[in-house]
Amino acid sequence: MSRLRHRLDLQLFAGEKTEKATPKKRQDTRNKGQVASSPDVPGALIMLGSLTCFLMLGSFFQTRLLAMFSDVFRHRMSMDITETNVMNLFGHYVLQILIFLAPLFVIVFVIIFAANYAQIGWLFTTETLKPQFNKLNPISGAKQIFSMRSVVEFLKSSLKLTVVGVVVYLMLWSERDRFLGLAHVPIEDIFAFAAELTIKLGMFVSAILFVIAIGDFIYQKYEHEKSLRMSKQDIKDEHKNIEGDPLIKGKIRERQRRMALMRMMQEVPKADVVITNPTHYAVALQYDGTKMDAPTVMAKGQDYLALRIREIAKKNDVVIMENKPLARGLYERTEIGDTVPGDLFQAVAEVLAYVYRLKGRRKA
């Protein structure tokens, strides 16, 4: 009973997701578009960048805005109302509006690209565009509504509203004396005060939202890493899928080894000589002066394989010679298909010369 309980505990422990994600799991998740990012980071930066743009290019926006509104009174009052004139007027104002908004468009595009690249790097995937019908499940939707992520999002939204509300209240309260004096100043000063206060409020609020966004990004990073965790069994299964089942791989290697041995044994009859130890090693050599620069190892083996090479050589009338140091040196220093090492040329040449003389006598 205790052994069974211990086994169940081991199975439960193996199923717990306590291990960090493997590189393959991270890459697969990234390819699906599942990355850690906070949408609040580009939002806060866009607000901050837009206000900075207004501060730096205030005169440009003022000139363009006044030119658009005054153009009607200066140049269009006596215009004939025809289809052509109206279309030309519409095209003119569309172009002016685009010129007016062009700096903002450029800044917003650059900020969005830079903020997302800083969070997730370069990523292009169409997986997020595919329809996911499991999101239509009301049970799953209810679980998401009451999940911890929803609670965190609610608390984050409440924090932003509270902080922004407090900052706006404090700043407006600090300017209460100037508010009371607006009734005694020219209209230009009122607009200037309103613009100054709006920019100041926007800068403070965007800076606070950016700080909150950084905290949200850290939390999203933590949650993403937590969701990527794997159990020990998951890691074993992934390794098995990548490398293959060890049993199947073993069978494949065994079959490959057998096929290689069969091919090697088929080359033994083509050899000129088999040099033996005589019982422990056997190396089959072939030399064809028209095709080879040096003698080549056709087959080699130890113990049982050496015995099989000698048996095949005898059946096919291949000369077998005993030379213990040469057989051992060729076996240890060469592989099948290799040429004879340079320092063994002399010994191999003497053996082949003897073999050729022996074959000549047999033919005579």
Side-chain angles (χ1 to χ4, degrees):
M1 187 69 179
S2 60
R3 185 177 299 175
L4 178 60
R5 184 179 300 171
H6 179 67
R7 185 178 300 176
L8 291 175
D9 291 339
L10 289 177
Q11 291 178 355
L12 290 174
F13 179 74
E16 292 181 357
K17 297 184 181 297
T18 57
E19 307 299 318
K20 291 184 177 180
T22 60
K24 182 180 183 302
K25 175 69 176 294
R26 294 180 183 277
Q27 187 61 40
D28 292 343
T29 306
R30 181 178 176 83
N31 292 336
K32 296 178 181 178
Q34 300 175 6
V35 291
S37 63
S38 173
D40 294 338
V41 174
L45 289 177
I46 287 172
M47 184 176 179
L48 187 61
S50 300
L51 293 172
T52 305
C53 179
F54 280 118
L55 282 176
M56 297 177 62
L57 303 176
S59 59
F60 168 81
F61 290 116
Q62 180 183 8
T63 302
R64 288 288 173 179
L65 192 62
L66 292 176
M68 281 192 295
F69 279 101
S70 62
D71 181 70
V72 176
F73 301 100
R74 290 181 177 179
H75 307 105
R76 310 296 178 179
M77 297 300 293
S78 60
M79 183 184 69
D80 296 332
I81 307 300
T82 62
E83 182 177 356
T84 303
N85 289 339
V86 171
M87 293 302 298
N88 291 335
L89 180 63
F90 178 76
H92 172 74
Y93 283 131
V94 168
L95 179 62
Q96 293 300 317
I97 291 173
L98 289 178
I99 295 174
F100 179 82
L101 297 177
L104 287 176
F105 287 159
V106 173
I107 288 177
V108 168
F109 177 79
V110 171
I111 288 176
I112 291 176
F113 179 81
N116 285 283
Y117 184 81
Q119 292 185 88
I120 63 177
W122 176 254
L123 177 62
F124 178 78
T125 179
T126 58
E127 290 291 329
T128 54
L129 301 178
K130 294 181 179 179
Q132 298 180 2
F133 298 102
N134 58 347
K135 292 185 176 181
L136 301 177
N137 189 346
I139 298 178
S140 301
K143 290 181 179 179
Q144 291 180 358
I145 293 175
F146 298 101
S147 63
M148 181 57 67
R149 182 179 292 273
S150 299
V151 174
V152 172
E153 290 295 327
F154 173 76
L155 293 177
K156 182 181 69 175
S157 301
S158 301
L159 176 63
K160 288 193 292 186
L161 288 174
T162 302
V163 172
V164 170
V166 170
V167 169
V168 171
Y169 171 77
L170 292 177
M171 292 196 67
L172 293 179
W173 182 255
S174 64
E175 299 289 342
R176 62 186 183 278
D177 295 334
R178 295 184 64 183
F179 273 112
L180 296 176
L182 290 178
H184 308 287
V185 298
I187 189 68
E188 293 85 357
D189 294 342
I190 296 176
F191 280 116
F193 170 74
E196 178 187 352
L197 185 60
T198 302
I199 294 294
K200 187 185 295 185
L201 279 173
M203 296 293 286
F204 271 99
V205 170
S206 58
I208 293 172
L209 292 179
F210 179 71
V211 173
I212 296 176
I214 293 298
D216 180 60
F217 173 70
I218 296 174
Y219 172 76
Q220 298 294 341
K221 194 82 171 176
Y222 167 77
E223 283 292 318
H224 183 66
E225 289 293 328
K226 186 178 178 181
S227 66
L228 290 179
R229 288 179 185 172
M230 304 172 67
S231 63
K232 295 182 182 297
Q233 187 62 39
D234 292 337
I235 297 177
K236 291 180 180 179
D237 293 341
E238 181 185 284
H239 181 74
K240 186 181 294 184
N241 292 332
I242 296 175
E243 301 293 335
D245 194 331
L247 296 177
I248 297 176
K249 289 182 63 178
K251 292 180 180 179
I252 293 174
R253 284 196 297 266
E254 178 65 20
R255 181 171 295 180
Q256 290 174 345
R257 188 177 67 85
R258 289 180 181 179
M259 294 176 65
L261 288 176
M262 290 176 61
R263 289 194 298 268
M264 184 182 72
M265 293 304 178
Q266 291 173 358
E267 297 294 327
V268 174
K270 302 177 184 178
D272 294 318
V273 63
V274 174
I275 302 175
T276 63
N277 192 22
T279 56
H280 294 294
Y281 300 103
V283 181
L285 298 177
Q286 182 190 29
Y287 178 66
D288 185 351
T290 61
K291 300 178 181 179
M292 304 175 182
D293 296 330
T296 303
V297 177
M298 306 301 293
K300 72 172 191 175
Q302 184 179 9
D303 298 332
Y304 173 74
L305 286 180
L307 177 61
R308 289 287 300 147
I309 292 173
R310 291 198 301 271
E311 291 177 353
I312 296 174
K314 288 179 181 179
K315 290 180 181 179
N316 293 273
D317 293 329
V318 178
V319 178
I320 300 175
M321 288 192 61
E322 178 182 341
N323 189 326
K324 295 181 180 179
L326 183 58
R328 187 180 186 89
L330 289 172
Y331 181 86
E332 292 179 350
R333 298 173 58 186
T334 61
E335 297 295 334
I336 298 171
D338 291 351
T339 57
V340 173
D343 57 333
L344 299 179
F345 273 178
Q346 182 66 32
V348 172
E350 293 175 357
V351 170
L352 289 175
Y354 171 78
V355 170
Y356 293 151
R357 288 196 301 271
L358 182 61
K359 288 183 177 180
R361 287 199 297 269
R362 287 180 180 178
K363 291 180 180 179

